[in-house]
Amino acid sequence: MQHQRKATIRVEDYRSSLMFGRGLVVAVCVGLAVVVVVGACRQQTPSSLADVSPKGRPAGTGEGLVIATQVPVSGADSRCRIVTVGEQDRAIISVLTEGFAVAASPDLSFDGERFLFVGSRGEEDPQSIWEMRIDGSGLRLVTTCPGGCAEAIYLSTIYTIDMLAPVDQIAFVTLSSVEIPSEIFTCRLDGSRARRITFTANGASDPFLLDDGRLLFTMQVSPSNDETGNTDCLEAALFTVNTDGTDVFPFLGLHRRSGARPHTIQVDDPDWRTLNAKRIASRDRPPGRASVVDRDDAPAQLYCLNAYMTGLRGRSENDKTINKVRFYSRGGSSEVQSRTMPRLLGEAPVESDGSFFVELPSGIPIQLETIGSNGQSINRMRSYFWVMPGERRGCIGCHEDRALTPPNRHVFALRRPPTRITSDCLDPEKRKSPQTPGGRP
Amino acid sequence: MNVAIGLFLAALIAQGASEQDVHPRYVGQEVCLTCHSAGRNSEWQDSSHQSSPCTTKDLLAHNRSYAALQKSEARHIAALSGLRADVENSLICLACHATGADDGRRWAVPSFDITDGVQCEACHGAGSFHVEAFRTSRSAQPIKPSLHIRSGSREDCKRCHIERPSHDRVLKDGFRLSPIDHDYKTPVNLAISPDGSKLFVVCERSESVIVIDLATHEKVAEVNVGARPHDIAFSGDGGFAYVTNRTDASVSVIKTNGMKVIRTISVGHEPHGIVYDPQADRLIVLNTSDNTVSLYSVMEERMEAVLSGGEGPWSAALDSKNGRTVLTSVRPSLGNFRDPPVSELTVIDNATGHVVVRANVPGANMLQGIASIPGADAVLFTLVRSKNLIPTSRLAQGWVITNGLGVYHFDGRVDQVLLDQPASYFSDPTDVAVSPDGRRAVVVSGGGDEVAIVDVEALLELLRSSAEYEREHILPNHLGMSSHFVLRRVPVGRNPRAVAFSADGNVAYVANALDDTVTTLRAPDFVMESTIELGGPDLVTHLRRGERLFHDASVTYGKQFSCRSCHPDGHINGLTFDIEADGIGLHPVDNRTLQSIFDTPPFKWEGTNPTLHRQCGPRLAVFFTRLDPYASNELDALVDYMCTIERPPNRYRRRDGLTDAQRRGKAVFERATDNRGLPIAPKNRCVTCHSGAYFTTRVQSTVSTNMWFDAYINVELKDLSQNDEFGVLGNYYFVDVGLADKLMDVPHLRNIADGRPYLHNGAANTLEEIWTRFNMTDRHGATADLTRQQLNDLIDYLKSL
């Protein structure tokens, strides 16, 4: 399927969005809730973080090639496709996704031999996750999402104590809608064992696998000056999470960058724009994850070593005494309310050394608020976190310097059983994952 | 009375009255059979013995057990048991292949022959009193069978007839040491001769010192020294090199003109570091196992003094300008339970040979390499900051172990900084060297296979410009600070352990222990210039692969730590950790040695891991390293290597056996009645749980050593003193607050003296405290009635095991 016409590929701002140490927040104000994405092509919007070229050796069968998504220039045409292009001569070698109404977001495997992509056969079909060899053979459906899938990337392996050996897995993002935000899921490479790993109030997307094996992603959070929890103006902030959903943390703090700057790839082609070009090559596989997350009903715990610790400092004389900490989730009678209404789950005492220890419900967005001696609110989180089943999560303090290591101290809170916080106040139906992936077809 | 008994009695008389009259001695099977032979007083062959090994045929088979030690398989089994090849002198082997070895030949009469293997007295105890009773009965009638002799039971058989992984691995699986395993060099230290012409590399595996001509990078000599050499120092004129031999407890003196060992000096146990003080013409030797420092006068060829060091003195730096020698300690000082570790820097006045300062390094352990900073009135030393008091529930943010450098200023101040970065740790910093101009330092990361090039001036300036709070709280705990003073990290060979600068400071030499090379780094950028091969085999054997994995931090998230990070020399770091798997905030567990553990399953303090494969496979990955587990072949190699980690000789044991006090202690250990003559319930006897070759039955038991913090018990904080973890509840034990006692693993007792702290949670700083502080209910052995002397004897005996 050779295409004689040459396409000139120029990369703009190819890696500017991933300068570690600076972080990236794309401040996006949207009119109503979150962006409603209706198709995979629209997911090729500038906020994608997946278009970093791998730096490894050229893969055998894909040597000298680039794989990319092509989007029709005409706005009326929503089809898009995945192509390979000669790295040197810039000639399109093949259209890999013939027969797909929509195909986009290719993510190369670590050996550079295969790729994952999001696509649908028919224009009305929901987007699913597919895998194909880079020569176009070996097409298989990996998993489906009821409302459609938006992105998929390869992860390294996952391992739990009852496994014989680690298994490969992928991460994928469900499409968002007015009612339901996008969230990140993982499943095994064969599509089985799908598990939701983000539990946000307003959506998570743009998964990117870091070299250390963690997942970098964007989460929609409320602006710092908005404590009402409304979703009219959200900021996308970078977070990291382990690939089993544990240990979600802001990525080097929350940073703001003025103006969203697209990192597009421009193509001299009258009919198609070429996006997300990636040199086909092998790359180092980040380390896998050995996980304690197993049974869905396993209790989760959270301990904080010193709630007074902020930045580089612990408690100072001017600090108000923190007496307890309150835990909120989201929950209301309607779908929209369930995402916007804070709902008190419970509270736990804070010991005199600033420590607290709780057992938390897993798999729901949770927000923390510190309470002073007179019952006044001292601080409340802007974003949400969650705990996974079986996770025993530790944190140092509240917004402590992320390069600060924990104080080596046996804190008071860990000398007693945890305070149990439940989600009994939440509607059980609302607690269910709104978008359970179809799993293995 | 026949000849055998006559010989026995003659021997008794010849030895005269002594402590030995209080305790029976081994007489040997020949004496037993004098009376107990077929047809004569042969009740041992009656129906009650039909199912016992005491038939003539079986007895002969047991007698051959000693000869089994001479089979070729024995040395492979010994290797997997962490023993050196001399199996015929190994107490662990002899415990089941001979009789009375634990007591020693001092407690046997000449008629006893250890080469007769397992004899009657192996089950019935030393028989001299029994024989003596017969003699004094003045009667030909048989004496009461149980008089002064144990009756023996099937339980005695189980002491030895149990599954032994080391034996199965060799006899069933066919494990064999590769001949190549003995050919590796394993360089662990190096030093440049005072004239700057040669590099002396101390090689632990080959037990030699390899001499490299620095002009040609060719090996010009290899000098065999003692067992497990570790460090080297030169006399002032370079005429002699002094090498510490860890296992031999000695220092080899090499005459460099001729490259021969001319003498061996006995020092303390497990000597590691050594320096030569030219002013005093004195060797300073750091005896890691003894916690002592030997001062040896070279001119007078005598030991001047033995000083008390820190816990596990490791390396020393001599600072001539300040007239001080500063010593690191690899283990933290013993302190209050669950207090942060504090390690000691010991400062010796070179003129007087006295300890003048014991400087505390708070929050740090594993102080190893040390070097003076010329012109700065300070020394640099490597350190680890383990976070052992918080749950090991994650690794990010330096949650389990951080690695860094310490600065000791001769005005007494101690600073600490981290060499780690947020996602790239500098695991196992084992050595540091400073350039002669004092501007650069090279620190090795044994787990990361790299070195850090440190701008010393920038480091000192960072300290000077930082406020007190920052120096005390931020710099020792911040992962971003190394960017201020680490110029770069440079990859080197596998498992770098030591570094030394050339005299002109232009080259740094790095000893790579596990690929038998020395890397040269050229100033000013310290890029790798060349690799000097020391002559080890190219082939990586199964055990060598395991050794590499043991020292490799890449199995851990961010390369934060390796197995060695907590197990230097395969032993312990002296800390108690809060492991996630046991529940966080409770049930702290003491770190346990890896020396000679293959035959001591189950593993883990709860005894829930039946094999080392289980312990080091899934569990290690999920609860410690948080990355992929070892592949099957890797795990095999790692486990086999761990099993070969040698147990050093017991320094409390005389060559001829137990001392009188130890023999008395053994009687306490084995007693079945208390001081009032009342029987002690079998459950409360030491030997019920602690018997066999390793003094463990390997059966989980409840001995009420669980304490209130071993489970979530709702106690009021007011009951807990902030200064004492036990507080008001010090006497409240697990069962006293209404919870069922937990089953715990019975730890083996070999070299228990070197296993401080004690108990599963590390609550007891000393063996004494096990009973004087933590056995109030008398459930961990019946000890309440023991006199002070008896307790001392018991402890003396335990230390001899």
Side-chain angles (χ1 to χ4, degrees):
Chain A
M1 203 178 300
Q2 293 284 329
H3 289 243
Q4 298 303 316
R5 189 173 46 159
K6 286 190 175 183
T8 303
I9 299 174
R10 187 164 61 86
V11 178
E12 283 186 354
D13 195 18
Y14 202 53
R15 303 189 63 184
S16 62
S17 64
L18 279 178
M19 297 298 286
F20 292 144
R22 297 180 197 169
L24 165 71
V25 167
V26 183
V28 187
C29 287
V30 293
L32 175 65
V34 291
V35 177
V36 180
V37 181
V38 295
C41 297
R42 301 272 179 92
Q43 286 295 307
Q44 304 303 302
T45 49
S47 62
S48 172
L49 295 172
D51 57 348
V52 174
S53 175
K55 296 183 288 184
R57 304 172 305 280
T61 52
E63 189 168 354
L65 298 181
V66 168
I67 191 167
T69 301
Q70 287 199 321
V71 183
V73 171
S74 165
D77 189 349
S78 63
R79 292 170 304 158
C80 51
R81 63 186 189 179
I82 296 172
V83 298
T84 51
V85 179
E87 192 176 9
Q88 297 298 323
D89 61 9
R90 300 167 184 174
I92 292 181
I93 303 302
S94 63
V95 177
L96 296 170
T97 52
E98 293 283 7
F100 277 81
V102 172
S105 299
D107 185 64
L108 280 165
S109 61
F110 299 108
D111 61 5
E113 299 290 337
R114 295 163 293 134
F115 65 97
L116 286 171
F117 66 98
V118 179
S120 62
R121 297 279 197 177
E123 293 194 7
E124 301 302 318
D125 294 342
Q127 323 295 331
S128 300
I129 308 296
W130 302 78
E131 189 186 44
M132 182 187 283
R133 298 187 63 79
I134 57 167
D135 62 3
S137 66
L139 174 69
R140 70 181 184 90
L141 178 62
V142 178
T143 193
T144 61
C145 312
C149 307
E151 318 166 55
I153 63 167
Y154 288 96
L155 298 180
S156 200
T157 53
I158 188 79
Y159 177 78
T160 56
I161 202 162
D162 57 346
M163 288 181 180
L164 292 176
V167 295
D168 289 323
Q169 60 171 357
I170 67 168
F172 59 95
V173 181
T174 54
L175 283 170
S176 63
S177 66
V178 173
E179 293 82 14
I180 305 168
S182 62
E183 296 288 358
I184 300 175
F185 290 74
T186 60
C187 70
R188 295 186 180 181
L189 191 52
D190 64 5
S192 65
R193 305 282 184 97
R195 183 191 286 275
R196 182 175 164 184
I197 64 165
T198 61
F199 298 86
T200 67
N202 300 302
S205 59
D206 305 317
F208 179 83
L209 188 61
L210 296 173
D211 286 344
D212 64 9
R214 291 179 300 164
L215 205 61
L216 183 69
F217 69 99
T218 56
M219 188 197 303
Q220 304 291 325
V221 300
S222 301
S224 55
N225 57 358
D226 175 16
E227 297 186 356
T228 63
N230 79 71
T231 58
D232 289 350
C233 185
L234 298 172
E235 293 175 350
L238 282 177
F239 282 75
T240 60
V241 68
N242 292 323
T243 56
D244 59 0
T246 60
D247 227 19
V248 59
F249 267 105
F251 182 58
L252 297 179
L254 296 173
H255 303 275
R256 178 189 295 271
R257 194 177 78 172
S258 57
R261 189 177 173 200
H263 45 90
T264 57
I265 302 164
Q266 293 196 349
V267 183
D268 289 341
D269 188 311
D271 300 326
W272 298 90
R273 293 173 59 216
T274 303
L275 305 172
N276 280 356
K278 296 172 182 174
R279 182 167 165 258
I280 296 176
S282 65
R283 55 185 161 136
D284 290 338
R285 177 191 286 264
R289 172 79 186 167
S291 175
V292 297
V293 178
D294 194 5
R295 301 183 347 254
D296 282 342
D297 59 346
Q301 296 173 335
L302 168 72
Y303 62 95
C304 174
L305 300 175
N306 183 1
Y308 295 101
M309 180 62 76
T310 300
L312 289 170
R313 290 266 173 178
R315 188 177 187 180
S316 66
E317 291 179 357
N318 297 328
D319 282 345
K320 297 172 183 171
T321 298
I322 302 174
N323 268 27
K324 54 191 174 185
V325 59
R326 283 187 182 144
F327 297 86
Y328 297 89
S329 187
R330 296 286 191 180
S333 55
S334 69
E335 287 288 356
V336 173
Q337 279 184 325
S338 72
R339 291 174 45 215
T340 57
M341 294 283 289
R343 192 78 181 252
L344 179 65
L345 298 177
E347 58 186 33
V350 174
E351 307 292 351
S352 58
D353 62 355
S355 61
F356 63 85
F357 182 27
V358 292
E359 183 175 309
L360 287 175
S362 60
I364 61 171
I366 294 174
Q367 206 172 35
L368 265 169
E369 182 181 32
T370 50
I371 304 295
S373 53
N374 297 324
Q376 80 280 21
S377 171
I378 296 177
N379 251 318
R380 186 163 172 178
M381 291 175 68
R382 288 172 53 201
S383 60
Y384 284 80
F385 72 98
W386 58 88
V387 284
M388 296 296 284
E391 178 180 6
R392 295 180 175 101
R393 175 171 174 167
C395 58
I396 294 177
C398 299
H399 300 286
E400 81 279 4
D401 186 309
R402 294 284 292 134
L404 196 65
T405 64
N408 189 27
R409 197 177 65 220
H410 183 221
V411 296
F412 292 158
L414 292 180
R415 302 178 186 203
R416 296 203 287 185
T419 302
R420 191 154 181 259
I421 306 292
T422 70
S423 58
D424 295 346
C425 62
L426 300 181
D427 181 348
E429 289 301 313
K430 299 293 186 300
R431 288 201 54 207
K432 285 184 179 175
S433 169
Q435 298 170 326
T436 304
R440 192 177 184 178
Chain B
M1 188 182 303
N2 63 26
V3 174
I5 293 184
L7 284 173
F8 158 71
L9 293 173
L12 279 181
I13 295 166
Q15 292 190 2
S18 73
E19 184 76 28
Q20 291 167 333
D21 294 331
V22 180
H23 305 288
R25 281 175 279 172
Y26 291 89
V27 299
Q29 185 168 280
E30 285 298 310
V31 174
C32 303
L33 292 178
T34 305
C35 297
H36 298 279
S37 57
R40 188 182 178 202
N41 298 332
S42 57
E43 69 280 359
W44 61 281
Q45 287 186 324
D46 66 15
S47 59
S48 67
H49 283 78
Q50 289 306 305
S51 60
S52 81
C54 297
T55 64
T56 304
K57 180 183 172 187
D58 287 338
L59 191 59
L60 290 173
H62 278 77
N63 293 159
R64 287 195 293 270
S65 58
Y66 184 89
L69 297 177
Q70 295 161 333
K71 292 183 177 178
S72 62
E73 291 90 342
R75 70 184 181 90
H76 302 289
I77 294 173
L80 286 178
S81 303
L83 307 171
R84 291 181 78 85
D86 189 14
V87 292
E88 292 176 53
N89 284 312
S90 163
L91 288 183
I92 289 176
C93 300
L94 293 173
C96 286
H97 286 268
T99 302
D102 179 47
D103 294 38
R105 66 173 182 269
R106 184 162 177 260
W107 298 95
V109 300
S111 60
F112 177 83
D113 185 353
I114 196 170
T115 65
D116 283 343
V118 176
Q119 309 173 42
C120 308
E121 291 164 295
C123 292
H124 294 287
S128 65
F129 286 0
H130 180 72
V131 177
E132 178 70 3
F134 165 72
R135 185 183 69 82
T136 56
S137 70
R138 301 176 185 279
S139 167
Q141 296 301 315
I143 59 172
K144 187 179 177 183
S146 60
L147 187 62
H148 302 303
I149 206 87
R150 286 210 313 264
S151 58
S153 72
R154 302 294 297 180
E155 294 302 311
D156 292 313
C157 305
K158 291 180 185 173
R159 289 205 310 261
C160 291
H161 290 277
I162 54 176
E163 182 187 350
R164 293 197 185 281
S166 65
H167 292 56
D168 290 347
R169 189 88 178 89
V170 171
L171 302 177
K172 294 180 181 174
D173 300 346
F175 170 86
R176 294 291 183 273
L177 289 168
S178 166
I180 297 174
D181 282 322
H182 300 289
D183 296 337
Y184 292 112
K185 304 298 182 186
T186 313
V188 293
N189 245 312
L190 41 71
I192 294 168
S193 59
D195 66 3
S197 66
K198 294 185 178 61
L199 180 69
F200 284 59
V201 187
V202 181
C203 297
E204 182 186 75
R205 178 63 61 85
S206 58
E207 301 187 338
S208 64
V209 173
I210 292 176
V211 185
I212 304 291
D213 185 318
L214 288 181
T216 64
H217 284 187
E218 295 293 325
K219 181 163 83 175
V220 295
E222 182 165 4
V223 186
N224 292 328
V225 290
R228 297 275 165 185
H230 184 81
D231 200 359
I232 186 168
F234 289 100
S235 60
D237 60 0
F240 300 93
Y242 306 96
V243 180
T244 52
N245 303 307
R246 183 151 65 86
T247 301
D248 284 353
S250 68
V251 171
S252 295
V253 183
I254 299 173
K255 187 172 185 182
T256 55
N257 181 10
M259 297 296 177
K260 283 186 178 174
V261 174
I262 58 167
R263 197 154 51 90
T264 300
I265 304 167
S266 290
V267 292
H269 281 259
E270 290 204 73
H272 279 70
I274 185 170
V275 290
Y276 173 79
D277 178 0
Q279 303 295 327
D281 194 20
R282 171 193 294 149
L283 287 173
I284 301 174
V285 184
L286 285 64
N287 308 311
T288 305
S289 175
D290 281 354
N291 301 336
T292 62
V293 183
S294 299
L295 303 187
Y296 182 82
S297 169
V298 173
M299 179 182 294
E300 299 174 14
E301 296 188 1
R302 68 173 183 88
M303 198 63 71
E304 287 181 55
V306 177
L307 310 177
S308 175
E311 279 283 319
W314 192 268
S315 292
L318 188 139
D319 189 297
S320 299
K321 181 190 165 205
N322 287 281
R324 298 284 190 267
T325 299
V326 187
L327 284 53
T328 57
S329 306
V330 75
R331 292 187 298 275
S333 307
L334 296 173
N336 291 330
F337 183 59
R338 289 209 188 184
D339 271 1
V342 176
S343 295
E344 177 182 311
L345 283 174
T346 312
V347 184
I348 296 173
D349 184 306
N350 294 343
T352 64
H354 294 164
V355 173
V356 289
V357 177
R358 294 188 186 274
N360 284 335
V361 187
N365 63 308
M366 294 284 280
L367 275 51
Q368 296 177 83
I370 187 166
S372 286
I373 308 173
D377 291 336
V379 298
L380 280 181
F381 57 97
T382 64
L383 57 83
V384 160
R385 292 176 63 82
S386 298
K387 310 294 185 178
N388 64 310
L389 301 178
I390 59 176
T392 58
S393 57
R394 60 195 296 248
L395 285 186
Q397 219 171 339
W399 209 264
V400 177
I401 288 180
T402 53
N403 309 277
L405 271 179
V407 183
Y408 174 73
H409 309 267
F410 282 111
D411 62 7
R413 184 182 187 104
V414 177
D415 283 298
Q416 299 176 57
V417 290
L418 295 185
L419 292 163
D420 300 318
Q421 295 171 356
S424 177
Y425 295 84
F426 196 77
S427 55
D428 296 339
T430 52
D431 199 15
V432 57
V434 180
S435 61
D437 62 6
R439 296 182 61 241
R440 295 287 182 268
V442 178
V443 193
V444 301
S445 165
D449 296 344
E450 59 185 350
V451 299
I453 312 301
V454 173
D455 182 334
V456 178
E457 292 171 341
L459 170 59
L460 297 178
E461 177 55 31
L462 173 68
L463 299 176
R464 279 192 294 266
S465 62
S466 298
E468 280 298 313
Y469 181 87
E470 292 170 327
R471 288 176 82 161
E472 186 176 350
H473 298 286
I474 308 300
L475 298 184
N477 296 305
H478 200 279
L479 299 170
M481 290 300 162
S482 64
S483 61
H484 290 274
F485 55 85
V486 173
L487 298 174
R488 67 187 63 83
R489 294 188 191 179
V490 182
V492 291
R494 281 186 180 272
N495 189 223
R497 291 276 188 94
V499 58
F501 266 98
S502 61
D504 60 7
N506 285 331
V507 182
Y509 298 91
V510 180
N512 304 308
L514 296 181
D515 62 9
D516 293 345
T517 62
V518 172
T519 298
T520 65
L521 305 171
R522 171 67 65 175
D525 296 327
F526 293 95
V527 293
M528 186 191 290
E529 183 183 60
S530 64
T531 300
I532 303 172
E533 301 284 344
L534 296 178
D538 293 331
L539 189 69
V540 177
T541 64
H542 172 72
L543 287 181
R544 188 68 158 183
R545 188 160 55 249
E547 188 174 15
R548 285 183 172 183
L549 289 167
F550 185 86
H551 292 84
D552 184 359
S554 65
V555 300
T556 311
Y557 174 82
K559 291 188 174 184
Q560 193 168 121
F561 53 82
S562 71
C563 304
R564 186 194 179 273
S565 300
C566 292
H567 296 286
D569 290 342
H571 196 39
I572 57 174
N573 61 358
L575 296 180
T576 293
F577 281 85
D578 185 354
I579 308 297
E580 178 186 5
D582 306 325
I584 62 176
L586 69 164
H587 205 274
V589 286
D590 179 38
N591 185 11
R592 299 174 74 172
T593 185
L594 302 180
Q595 295 169 346
S596 288
I597 61 165
F598 199 16
D599 287 341
T600 64
F603 303 99
K604 194 167 180 262
W605 270 108
E606 291 90 340
T608 50
N609 285 335
T611 64
L612 285 172
H613 277 74
R614 177 71 179 171
Q615 176 85 358
C616 302
R619 182 175 177 271
L620 185 82
V622 170
F623 294 116
F624 290 86
T625 67
R626 312 276 170 176
L627 298 185
D628 285 339
Y630 293 108
S632 173
N633 61 338
E634 290 177 330
L635 186 56
D636 288 345
L638 176 71
V639 167
D640 281 340
Y641 165 71
M642 280 170 46
C643 297
T644 64
I645 294 173
E646 284 185 8
R647 187 177 67 90
N650 187 317
R651 60 195 159 97
Y652 290 93
R653 189 173 178 86
R654 280 170 44 156
R655 294 178 70 87
D656 62 349
L658 301 179
T659 64
D660 293 349
Q662 289 165 348
R663 188 64 183 79
R664 291 194 303 269
K666 183 184 180 186
V668 173
F669 188 80
E670 294 178 341
R671 70 182 186 155
T673 57
D674 65 15
N675 286 340
R676 295 166 297 174
L678 299 175
I680 298 172
K683 182 179 183 299
N684 265 0
R685 299 174 190 167
C686 304
V687 289
T688 301
C689 295
H690 293 288
S691 64
Y694 289 88
F695 293 88
T696 170
T697 53
R698 300 168 18 180
V699 176
Q700 295 159 278
S701 302
T702 59
V703 287
S704 297
T705 51
N706 287 299
M707 300 177 190
W708 65 264
F709 43 78
D710 284 327
Y712 289 133
I713 300 171
N714 237 335
V715 295
E716 294 297 322
L717 281 184
K718 63 182 174 56
D719 291 330
L720 309 175
S721 162
Q722 292 185 25
N723 297 323
D724 182 355
E725 182 70 20
F726 308 103
V728 179
L729 294 179
N731 290 332
Y732 280 72
Y733 290 83
F734 211 67
V735 291
D736 298 322
V737 289
L739 294 179
D741 209 359
K742 284 183 175 179
L743 284 171
M744 301 295 293
D745 179 44
V746 176
H748 81 76
L749 302 183
R750 292 294 185 187
N751 277 17
I752 189 70
D754 292 332
R756 296 190 293 179
Y758 300 105
L759 296 180
H760 69 280
N761 49 31
N765 275 337
T766 63
L767 285 169
E768 288 86 344
E769 280 193 359
I770 294 175
W771 297 283
T772 58
R773 192 174 179 199
F774 298 107
N775 195 30
M776 299 298 185
T777 54
D778 225 24
R779 293 169 182 148
H780 185 198
T783 57
D785 67 314
L786 292 181
T787 64
R788 180 189 295 265
Q789 178 67 53
Q790 284 176 310
L791 185 60
N792 288 342
D793 291 342
L794 173 65
I795 289 163
D796 209 8
Y797 170 65
L798 292 173
K799 288 179 176 177
S800 77
L801 300 180

